[in-house]
Amino acid sequence: YDAKVESYLQPFFCVTRGAAIRAFTDILRDPSHQFSVHNEDFTLFELGEYDDLSASFDLYATPVALGKAIEFVTN
């Protein structure tokens, strides 16, 4: 989620929550990426689950915040 734009960005898919956090943290290490440059503006959200056996999505009623980008940079 981009707080300045007040909009969610295009979702991405990972096998686990931990993999998503790792991917987000890796992006934050790139000093030229917008997430790194404006880390106070972005929050990582989990939107739901995907079942690869049935090709179905189970979206949460409310997105689950996993943390602000700035928190991943400082921790």
Side-chain angles (χ1 to χ4, degrees), residues 25-74:
T25 303
D26 287 347
I27 289 170
L28 292 169
R29 291 190 181 118
D30 178 354
S32 64
H33 195 284
Q34 69 171 342
F35 292 178
S36 179
V37 174
H38 305 286
N39 57 37
E40 68 281 358
D41 296 339
F42 294 98
T43 303
L44 177 64
F45 280 89
E46 184 176 355
L47 303 178
E49 298 178 9
Y50 172 72
D51 183 337
D52 60 356
L53 296 177
S54 65
S56 63
F57 292 91
D58 180 18
L59 296 178
Y60 303 146
T62 304
V64 176
L66 301 181
K68 296 178 180 263
I70 196 164
E71 295 168 345
F72 290 102
V73 171
T74 57

